[in-house]
């Protein structure tokens, strides 16, 4: 048996690899966006921890919320779609990268047939042939980096899709947290409305006694009845809000709410860290998945320019085979029956200069579009963080002020109620005191919800705790 030499094929591979090291991609330069180095209203707590190194389990404190987020990350359809999109783009990159190396295929065939006597000089003939071989079909020598540029563009597109998946991941965490906070807020609003209703019913009973005794008028009695109905309406609205929040959670986790969820915490205990620092704006840009996606899109556009430039130059394709053939199966592997062929093809662009010029101009314009989008993404990210920081600071001040107001109105209601019971204050004073106290309680509860939503939004705006997908997707 003859041992075949693959030196011609190996030589072709060696030359192709050396030539493909050249590309015509422009040197990538990250756009400089004019944003301040630091954020106003930022705080530096004693921990000094940054959002990028803080997982959501270390930020949110409620074990019930932890379980809901886990279910959402496993079951949410939007996140699953984003992950599948990223995987599809990764496969497309692997296809593009495969074009960098020649594909070697093995083939074998045999044929045996009888030729009619009239077609072969009066004598019937039986012929047979056999062949086996290895071949390369239309492999392009990437002399000017066209294929390499296309593969690089495909890789950067994958990185962009992975960053989009990260953004969906982070958005889902914040959305689940906010829906859960709304459920807790609605439940506390229900409790508040029930307590107010019980208090107003007791006041109404006292007013009825005074009305029978002729101390107060029917108008006072009707006003108390109106307050009772208002409390019932507030309770019904809170029930509606709770049910809607539960529906939102069910949709986010893609299943009904489980019955075995852990015991939850109160609104005041939802976060382990309430003063998460923003840090330098440049760090935020690295952590935000939408910023990373915008930059990867820009890198892909930059690589496409290299492919468009390479189209102006000749391309060479190689087709070659090596093998053996024989008219007899027993002689198939004899050395004298070795076969080979080598068929290079060169393609010279002559009359398509206008098309190639337009393609190059289009690639440059698309790069400029991506630069604009990158700058817009950076500016939007800076605004998101700045808005969240100033909201956190002002919400804290509003919460403290409303807490003091609530206490003042609660003390006032207690005193007015005592005066009313002893006939010193009239029903109008009591009604005003009850409205003020209930309004302060409701305002405090609403501000608490807004504070929690702000902290969830800030974690998202800072790109908290996500892995950066910059490794080779192969």
């Amino acid at each position: 048996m003859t041992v075949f030499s693959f030196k011609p094929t190996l030589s072709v591979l060696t030359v192709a690899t050396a030539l493909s090291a050249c590309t015509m991609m422009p040197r990538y330069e990250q756009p400089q966006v004019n944003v301040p180095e630091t954020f106003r209203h930022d705080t530096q707590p004693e921990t000094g921890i940054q959002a990028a190194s803080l997982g959501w389990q270390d930020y949110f404190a409620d074990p019930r919320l932890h379980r809901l987020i886990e279910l959402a990350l496993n079951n949410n359809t939007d996140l699953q779609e984003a992950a599948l999109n990223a995987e599809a783009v990764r496969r497309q990159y692997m296809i593009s990268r495969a074009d960098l190396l020649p594909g070697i295929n093995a083939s074998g065939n045999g044929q045996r047939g009888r030729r009619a006597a009239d077609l072969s000089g009066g004598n019937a003939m039986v012929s047979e042939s056999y062949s086996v071989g290895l071949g390369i079909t239309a492999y392009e020598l990437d002399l000017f980096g066209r294929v390499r540029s296309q593969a690089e563009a495909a890789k950067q597109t994958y990185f962009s899709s992975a960053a989009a998946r990260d953004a969906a991941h982070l958005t889902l965490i914040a959305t689940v947290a906010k829906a859960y906070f709304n459920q807790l807020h609605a439940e506390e609003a229900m409790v508040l409305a029930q307590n107010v209703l019980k208090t107003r019913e007791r006041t109404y009973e006292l007013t009825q006694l005074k009305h029978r005794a002729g101390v107060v008028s029917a108008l006072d009695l009707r006003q108390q009845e109106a307050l009772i109905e208002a409390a019932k309406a507030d309770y019904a609205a809170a029930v509606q809000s709770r049910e809607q929040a539960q529906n939102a959670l069910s949709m986010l986790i893609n299943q009904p709410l489980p019955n075995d969820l852990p015991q939850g915490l109160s609104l005041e205990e939802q976060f382990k860290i309430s003063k998460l620092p923003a840090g330098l704006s440049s760090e935020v840009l690295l952590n935000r998945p939408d910023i990373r996606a915008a930059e990867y899109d820009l890198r892909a556009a930059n690589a496409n320019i290299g492919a468009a430039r390479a189209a102006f130059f000749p391309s060479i394709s190689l087709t070659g085979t090596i093998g053996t053939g024989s008219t007899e199966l027993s002689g198939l592997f004899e050395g004298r029956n070795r076969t080979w062929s080598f068929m290079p093809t060169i393609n010279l662009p002559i009359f398509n200069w206008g098309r190639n010029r337009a393609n190059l101009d289009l690639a440059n314009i698309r790069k400029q579009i991506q630069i604009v989008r990158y700058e817009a993404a950076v500016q939007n990210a800076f605004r998101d963080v700045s808005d969240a920081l100033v909201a956190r600071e002002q919400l804290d001040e509003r919460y403290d002020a409303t807490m003091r107001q609530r206490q003042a109105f609660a003390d006032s209601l207690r005193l007015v109620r005592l005066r009313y019971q002893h006939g010193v204050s009239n029903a109008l004073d009591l009604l005003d005191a009850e409205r003020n106290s209930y309004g302060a309680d409701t305002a405090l509860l609403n501000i608490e919800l807004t504070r929690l939503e702000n902290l969830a939004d800030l974690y998202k705006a800072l790109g908290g705790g996500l892995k950066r997908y910059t490794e080779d997707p192969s």
Side-chain angles (χ1 to χ4, degrees):
M1 179 180 295
T2 302
V3 179
F4 297 115
S5 173
F6 294 97
K7 290 183 179 180
T9 302
L10 294 176
S11 298
V12 170
L13 292 176
T14 302
V15 173
T17 303
L19 292 174
S20 65
C22 171
T23 66
M24 305 190 72
M25 286 186 295
R27 181 175 177 271
Y28 175 76
E29 295 182 0
Q30 186 181 48
Q32 298 300 315
V33 185
N34 185 19
V35 294
E37 184 178 359
T38 59
F39 296 96
R40 294 177 58 197
H41 309 288
D42 193 11
T43 57
Q44 295 292 337
E46 295 180 359
T47 58
I49 193 169
Q50 297 293 318
S53 59
L54 185 66
W56 58 265
Q57 299 93 335
D58 301 318
Y59 186 59
F60 299 102
D62 195 325
R64 191 180 185 90
L65 176 57
H66 285 187
R67 179 59 179 153
L68 290 172
I69 292 176
E70 289 173 355
L71 290 172
L73 294 178
N74 291 330
N75 302 334
N76 184 261
T77 54
D78 291 337
L79 186 59
Q80 290 175 358
E81 181 180 356
L84 289 173
N85 287 336
E87 183 62 20
V89 176
R90 187 175 79 91
R91 299 297 177 178
Q92 290 174 350
Y93 161 67
M94 295 175 67
I95 294 173
S96 298
R97 195 188 63 168
D99 292 335
L100 293 172
L101 296 175
I104 300 177
N105 301 307
S107 64
N109 62 74
Q111 181 178 354
R112 192 170 188 273
R114 183 180 184 278
R115 188 175 176 86
D118 290 345
L119 300 178
S120 56
N123 295 315
M125 296 179 58
V126 177
S127 63
E128 57 184 307
S129 64
Y130 303 93
S131 65
V132 293
L134 298 175
I136 299 173
T137 304
Y139 169 65
E140 180 178 345
L141 291 179
D142 198 22
L143 299 176
F144 302 99
R146 186 187 70 85
V147 179
R148 190 179 181 87
S149 296
Q150 290 176 339
E152 178 65 19
K155 180 172 71 172
Q156 297 301 327
T157 301
Y158 162 70
F159 287 152
S160 176
S161 65
R165 174 192 57 199
D166 287 350
H169 179 103
L170 197 53
T171 298
L172 179 60
I173 291 173
T175 303
V176 172
K178 292 165 71 173
Y180 180 65
F181 297 155
N182 275 273
Q183 178 187 345
L184 294 182
H185 170 269
E187 291 174 350
E188 294 205 13
M190 290 169 56
V191 174
L192 177 61
Q194 283 181 322
N195 292 336
V196 169
L197 177 61
K198 292 178 181 178
T199 301
R200 289 179 177 178
E201 286 176 342
R202 290 195 298 268
T203 302
Y204 178 70
E205 293 174 356
L206 177 60
T207 304
Q208 281 183 316
L209 294 176
K210 289 189 174 185
H211 178 259
R212 295 191 190 102
V215 177
V216 298
S217 65
L219 177 61
D220 296 331
L221 195 62
R222 291 294 177 265
Q223 289 177 332
Q224 289 290 341
E225 292 173 355
L227 287 179
I228 290 175
E229 297 305 319
K232 292 180 180 179
D234 290 342
Y235 178 80
V239 171
Q240 177 183 342
S241 297
R242 182 195 62 181
E243 295 301 316
Q244 290 176 340
Q246 290 179 344
N247 292 338
L249 286 172
S250 296
M251 183 191 69
L252 291 170
I253 66 176
N254 198 27
Q255 67 176 65
L257 293 179
N259 296 323
D260 59 347
L261 290 174
Q263 184 66 33
L265 302 177
S266 65
L267 281 175
E268 295 81 7
E269 303 172 299
Q270 288 301 310
F271 288 92
K272 297 180 181 180
I273 299 174
S274 61
K275 295 295 183 181
L276 185 65
L280 299 176
S281 60
S282 59
E283 295 175 346
V284 173
L285 303 187
L286 292 175
N287 298 332
R288 291 261 304 205
D290 56 336
I291 300 298
R292 299 204 306 272
E295 184 169 9
Y296 291 137
D297 288 337
L298 176 56
R299 288 179 179 272
N302 191 69
N304 284 329
I305 292 177
R309 286 177 174 177
F312 286 90
F313 297 89
S315 62
I316 299 177
S317 299
L318 301 179
T319 298
T321 61
I322 183 172
T324 181
S326 175
T327 59
E328 297 180 0
L329 185 60
S330 59
L332 183 60
F333 295 102
E334 293 182 2
R336 60 187 176 85
N337 290 327
R338 186 171 61 181
T339 64
W340 62 268
S341 66
F342 181 66
M343 294 170 288
T345 303
I346 184 168
N347 178 36
L348 298 174
I350 298 177
F351 297 110
N352 54 356
W353 177 273
R355 176 187 294 273
N356 290 339
R357 180 74 253 180
N359 283 333
L360 179 57
D361 291 341
L362 177 61
N364 279 293
I365 291 173
R366 285 175 173 168
K367 179 180 178 180
Q368 294 302 316
I369 292 173
Q370 293 302 330
I371 291 176
V372 172
R373 289 178 177 175
Y374 175 80
E375 293 174 348
V378 171
Q379 295 288 358
N380 288 333
F382 189 88
R383 186 194 63 186
D384 289 345
V385 177
S386 298
D387 288 348
L389 290 174
V390 68
R392 181 179 67 182
E393 179 177 311
Q394 299 305 317
L395 284 170
D396 287 345
E397 294 184 4
R398 286 176 56 191
Y399 182 82
D400 294 339
T402 305
M403 177 68 79
R404 294 190 294 269
Q405 181 191 50
R406 172 180 175 271
Q407 186 60 47
F409 278 134
D411 293 340
S412 176
L413 175 60
R414 179 177 56 81
L415 295 174
V416 171
R417 184 173 286 119
L418 289 174
R419 291 168 62 87
Y420 179 75
Q421 290 174 354
H422 293 83
V424 178
S425 295
N426 56 37
L428 183 59
D429 293 336
L430 180 60
L431 291 175
D432 288 339
E434 287 182 343
R435 290 194 189 99
N436 291 336
S437 179
Y438 183 42
D441 289 338
T442 303
L444 185 66
L445 190 58
N446 291 338
I447 292 176
E448 180 65 23
L449 173 62
T450 306
R451 289 177 71 200
L452 296 179
E453 291 180 333
N454 167 257
L455 293 178
D457 287 335
L458 181 60
Y459 183 75
K460 172 188 171 185
L462 295 175
L466 286 175
K467 178 182 178 182
R468 300 180 190 174
Y469 288 86
T470 55
E471 71 273 9
D472 193 318
S474 60

